[in-house]
């Protein structure tokens, strides 16, 4: 157990739908990162939050959004889902706005 | 534009021998490099890292070497054990305003045979 909790572990949904992925960082960590791993791809950085504020942004689609709440948990919202959004979504956390990231076990999203 | 590349999709090694995993990068702004190990159905686990001001970092059986002029790093595992069989990702962190963002390579599947 890395201390980073992601729910749900698996999610199957239809095209056009909207889903929310949730992440609880390790106790004491202020930064949360979201990554997407598609089939045969490395992990692609989506977005980083630090203590409730957006810190860095990657190639995140406009259909995707995220936020970090006062209790430091984070949610990644994916809307108007397409088949190509099927992937593993990982959340990671670190103590400050940089440093060694600890990853959760991921949410596997399947869009049918 | 793939800034971090792991050109070997897979590597097979005999138990007890050395495993060498390679990684190349193109962005000279990267100031910190990390290796993560990933088992199926789990998230990546941090293994070892190296700052751009160093050329070697060692932790037990794991050593990372950095050649800045060649923009190349490698992970050496000696001796290799069957439990080391996993996917290994090289990652790089940029300086400046990229904060904690990591850029990952595609990964190398390491198989250690008993």
């Amino acid at each position: 157990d890395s201390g980073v909790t992601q729910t749900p572990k698996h999610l199957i949904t239809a095209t056009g739908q909207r889903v929310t992925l949730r992440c609880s960082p390790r106790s004491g960590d202020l930064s949360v990162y979201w990554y997407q791993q598609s089939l045969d791809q490395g992990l692609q950085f989506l977005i980083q939050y630090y203590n409730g504020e957006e810190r860095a942004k990657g190639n995140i689609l406009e259909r995707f959004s995220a936020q970090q709440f006062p209790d430091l948990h984070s949610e990644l919202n994916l809307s108007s889902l397409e088949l190509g959004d099927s992937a593993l979504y990982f959340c990671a956390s670190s103590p400050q706005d940089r440093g060694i990231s600890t990853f959760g076990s991921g949410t596997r999203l399947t869009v049918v | 534009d793939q800034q971090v590349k792991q050109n070997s999709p897979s590597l097979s090694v005999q138990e007890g021998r050395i495993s060498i995993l390679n990684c190349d990068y193109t962005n000279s702004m990267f100031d910190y490099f990390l290796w993560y190990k990933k088992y199926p159905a789990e998230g990546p686990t941090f293994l070892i890292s190296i700052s751009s001001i160093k050329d070697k970092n060692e932790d037990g059986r794991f050593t990372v070497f950095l050649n800045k002029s060649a923009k190349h790093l490698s992970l050496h595992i000696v001796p290799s054990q069957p439990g080391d069989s996993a996917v290994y990702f090289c990652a790089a962190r940029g300086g400046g305003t990229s904060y904690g963002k990591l850029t990952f390579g595609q990964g190398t599947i390491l198989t250690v045979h008993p």
Side-chain angles (χ1 to χ4, degrees):
Chain A
D1 182 5
S2 67
V4 178
T5 304
Q6 289 189 247
T7 56
K9 289 196 183 303
H10 301 276
L11 196 50
I12 302 175
T13 189
T15 54
Q17 295 298 304
R18 173 190 167 95
V19 297
T20 298
L21 312 184
R22 183 187 166 101
C23 170
S24 294
R26 273 191 332 170
S27 177
D29 284 358
L30 299 178
S31 259
V32 169
Y33 312 79
W34 287 97
Y35 290 85
Q36 178 192 55
Q37 184 182 21
S38 303
L39 192 65
D40 295 333
Q41 297 288 315
L43 289 88
Q44 303 290 322
F45 171 74
L46 295 178
I47 197 162
Q48 175 193 1
Y49 279 83
Y50 174 69
N51 206 18
E53 295 192 358
E54 184 182 301
R55 199 65 150 182
K57 210 166 183 176
N59 294 326
I60 187 168
L61 299 172
E62 285 192 13
R63 300 184 286 108
F64 295 2
S65 65
Q67 59 186 126
Q68 186 179 28
F69 294 87
D71 67 352
L72 301 176
H73 91 272
S74 178
E75 293 181 356
L76 178 67
N77 300 296
L78 315 176
S79 61
S80 302
L81 285 167
E82 302 174 359
L83 295 177
D85 297 326
S86 296
L88 267 169
Y89 291 85
F90 288 102
C91 170
S93 70
S94 66
Q96 299 299 329
D97 64 357
R98 60 194 75 206
I100 307 297
S101 291
T102 300
F103 281 78
S105 58
T107 293
R108 180 173 292 281
L109 172 67
T110 303
V111 182
V112 297
Chain B
D1 174 25
Q2 196 158 355
Q3 299 184 60
V4 177
K5 291 183 183 179
Q6 294 175 254
N7 291 317
S8 298
S10 62
L11 175 67
S12 183
V13 171
Q14 206 67 30
E15 181 179 7
R17 307 296 286 266
I18 185 171
S19 295
I20 300 176
L21 295 99
N22 294 302
C23 178
D24 296 297
Y25 64 95
T26 57
N27 189 340
S28 56
M29 294 297 291
F30 289 143
D31 63 356
Y32 200 73
F33 302 89
L34 308 90
W35 284 93
Y36 281 83
K37 173 176 162 180
K38 186 181 181 303
Y39 292 118
E42 295 183 11
T45 302
F46 170 72
L47 199 55
I48 192 169
S49 62
I50 188 167
S51 165
S52 60
I53 62 174
K54 296 189 175 181
D55 56 17
K56 178 182 174 181
N57 187 27
E58 195 171 351
D59 183 3
R61 296 185 298 114
F62 303 92
T63 303
V64 56
F65 295 92
L66 175 62
N67 182 333
K68 277 188 69 176
S69 60
K71 293 191 175 67
H72 176 83
L73 64 155
S74 60
L75 174 67
H76 292 210
I77 306 174
V78 183
S80 301
Q81 300 173 354
D84 295 330
S85 297
V87 181
Y88 288 78
F89 289 99
C90 167
R93 191 184 71 199
T97 59
S98 65
Y99 296 100
K101 166 190 172 182
L102 294 177
T103 302
F104 282 86
Q106 304 285 80
T108 296
I109 302 170
L110 173 65
T111 304
V112 181
H113 299 282

